[in-house]
């Protein structure tokens, strides 16, 4: 029997899987908390220069006298027909003819209606230093990128369990240390390390879940782990409403990672599929026996075949660039992973710029991920991976582009349409992003699966790293045209990526491959299926039979 048959026999979606995956996926909430916190620890705030000599100055106007002082010192400009105060300039001198000159200021007051303290306010990351606030986001995604390379390969070499535990320790400890310092460059490094820990625990967890599940239940486990990620988003939106100081927030969301790491040392099982691939048959059989016992089934007393062949020689992840059949799907997946991530995080980071309450907007953009996964849950096996992913990417692109119309042609009364466009875009891109993990896992054999997923996530977080700067495109062009540039870019790229994904093979209801030889078998099976379909069509009673030798493949 091969591994897939064994898992199916002992219960690929039994009590063991339900308990273990719930236990394993709970740590995924930590990753959702850390990524969601980005918007709140380094937010885009309204601010202006502080009035010189006015110690009690606040962004909010306190009285008529305070308003007069603000008008005396702070220049005004026009934005969509409204007068707004300049953020970085202050009047410092009045000439003899009554004209006033301006200069850049060195102190500011901030709108604290959403956050009391943040990295932005404590370190004054505004005006000329505003790019540093963007860097805190970029360093996080660069850490994710680095982790995709290192943790993916490490997980294939040292095991899923060890990498998950070490990564959780990194995530928790780096987050706590970050809350204790005030140097922006040290914060960059710690955000980098925190991201390594987050990705290093999340990706092997996705792989481990797939490898202990049967063919027909892998989709359920993939949906489950994405939902846990969304729960992290929802928790952070509620938590930040009550905890509005960034240092306390970082400590609260980092400590549980250390707790999970300690618990996993004692109770988390290694992937039996990985153990078999490493020829650790005794350890694998012990775990498989435990699975059968908990699922109230019996482990077949037969040798598990078709799992060791990839170990005949050392296999490297880079092989996916040298085998033509893998190269095609790898290039298409690279583009799709980069764009789906850029659009997903672009929409997420843009929540702070939507009209309305920040916490409510963030919560709505988070909770909409549940119907996204439920939608995919019911459609993924019916429609198939390829068609569903392509459709979701195109719909996400259309939703992004639709957001330009209330900006170009709408008034204040139509601003809700921009928020609605963001929510629908988040729904479609979330579903596409979530099922990219499962689709990618099914497109690669076991011997390079984790490394391949890590490589694809590398490109995903290249896209994620670009997302903050994509939103900055609006600063290059003034007015409404500048504001729609990020939406046009994200929408167009999403549609292109979706159409490209139609060139990938379908993996619905097919066994996961263990080695490179299975690629040939898979290709032969697909060819045979096409041939049978054509022959069936040619022998249809309403259609004359075409000679078989004329059928081309």
């Amino acid at each position: 029997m091969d591994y897939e048959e064994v898992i199916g026999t002992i219960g690929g979606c039994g009590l063991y899987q339900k308990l273990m995956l719930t236990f394993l996926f709970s740590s995924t909430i930590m990753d959702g908390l850390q990524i969601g916190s980005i918007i709140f620890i380094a937010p885009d705030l309204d601010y202006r220069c502080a009035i010189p000599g006015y110690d009690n100055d606040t962004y909010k106007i306190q009285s008529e006298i305070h308003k007069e002082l603000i008008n005396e010192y702070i220049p005004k400009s026009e934005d969509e027909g409204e007068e707004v105060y300049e953020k970085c300039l202050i009047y410092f001198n009045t000439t003899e003819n009554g004209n006033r000159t301006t200069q850049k200021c060195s102190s500011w007051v901030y709108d604290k209606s959403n956050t009391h303290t943040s990295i932005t306010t404590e370190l004054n990351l505004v005006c000329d230093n505003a790019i540093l606030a963007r860097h805190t986001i970029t360093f996080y995604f660069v850490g994710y990128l680095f982790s995709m390379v290192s943790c993916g390969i490490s997980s294939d070499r040292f095991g899923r369990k060890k990498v998950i535990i070490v990564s959780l320790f990194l995530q928790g400890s780096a987050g706590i240390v970050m809350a204790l310092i005030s140097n922006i460059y040290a914060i960059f490094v710690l955000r980098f390390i925190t991201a390594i820990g987050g990705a290093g625990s999340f990706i092997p967890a996705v792989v481990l879940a797939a490898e202990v599940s049967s063919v027909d239940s892998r989709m359920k486990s993939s949906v489950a782990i994405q939902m846990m990620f969304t729960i992290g988003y929802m928790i952070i939106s509620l938590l930040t409403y009550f905890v509005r100081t960034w240092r306390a927030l970082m400590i609260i969301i980092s400590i549980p990672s250390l707790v999970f790491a300690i618990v996993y040392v004692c109770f988390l099982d290694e992937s039996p599929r990985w153990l078999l691939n490493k020829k650790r048959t005794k350890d694998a059989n012990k775990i498989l026996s435990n699975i059968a016992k908990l699922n109230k089934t019996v482990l077949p007393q037969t040798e598990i075949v078709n799992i060791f062949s990839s170990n005949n020689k050392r296999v490297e992840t880079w092989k996916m660039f040298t085998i033509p059949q893998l190269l095609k799907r790898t290039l298409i997946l690279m583009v799709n992973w980069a764009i789906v991530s850029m659009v997903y995080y672009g929409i997420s980071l843009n929540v702070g710029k939507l009209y309305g309450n920040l916490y409510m907007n963030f919560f709505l953009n988070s909770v909409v991920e549940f119907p996204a996964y439920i939608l995919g849950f019911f459609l993924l096996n019916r429609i198939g991976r390829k068609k569903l992913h392509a459709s979701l990417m195109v719909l996400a692109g259309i939703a992004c582009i639709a957001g330009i119309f209330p900006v170009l042609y709408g008034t204040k009364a139509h601003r809700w349409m921009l928020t609605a466009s963001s929510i629908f875009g988040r729904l479609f891109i979330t579903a596409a992003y979530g099922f990219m993990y499962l689709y990618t896992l099914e497109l690669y054999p076991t011997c390079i699966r984790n490394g391949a997923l890590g490589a694809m996530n590398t490109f995903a977080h290249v896209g994620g790293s670009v997302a903050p700067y994509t939103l900055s495109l609006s600063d290059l062009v003034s007015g409404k045209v500048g504001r729609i540039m990020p939406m046009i870019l994200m929408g167009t790229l999403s549609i292109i990526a979706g159409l490209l994904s139609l060139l990938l093979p379908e993996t619905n209801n097919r066994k996961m491959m263990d080695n490179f030889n299975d690629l040939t078998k898979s290709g032969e099976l697909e060819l045979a299926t096409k041939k049978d379909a054509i022959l069936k069509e040619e022998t249809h009673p309403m259609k004359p039979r075409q000679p078989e030798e004329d059928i081309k493949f």
Side-chain angles (χ1 to χ4, degrees), residues 504-532:
L504 292 170
E506 181 57 71
T507 61
N508 191 26
N509 292 323
R510 296 185 182 179
K511 291 183 179 181
M512 294 177 77
M513 298 174 289
D514 282 314
N515 49 64
F516 295 130
N517 291 332
D518 290 339
L519 282 169
T520 304
K521 296 176 183 177
S522 175
E524 291 173 351
L525 178 62
E526 187 174 352
L527 185 62
T529 302
K530 290 181 179 178
K531 182 176 180 180
D532 289 342

Side-chain angles (χ1 to χ4, degrees), residues 427-462:
L427 185 149
F428 295 128
I429 203 66
T430 293
Y433 203 168
F435 297 115
M436 279 292 288
Y437 286 92
L438 176 62
Y439 197 14
T440 301
L441 287 173
E442 294 177 336
L443 285 170
Y444 290 96
T446 300
C447 56
I448 63 168
R449 181 173 297 123
N450 203 82
L453 184 60
M456 291 303 109
N457 268 274
T458 299
F459 291 97
H461 289 90
V462 169

Side-chain angles (χ1 to χ4, degrees), residues 5 37-38 59 66 132 140 173 265 289 320 352 395 415-416 438 464 478 505:
E5 293 172 330
S37 69
I38 290 173
Y59 183 82
H66 186 218
L132 296 178
Y140 191 89
S173 56
V265 170
S289 297
M320 64 186 185
L395 287 171
R415 289 177 176 177
W416 65 269
L438 176 62
S478 61

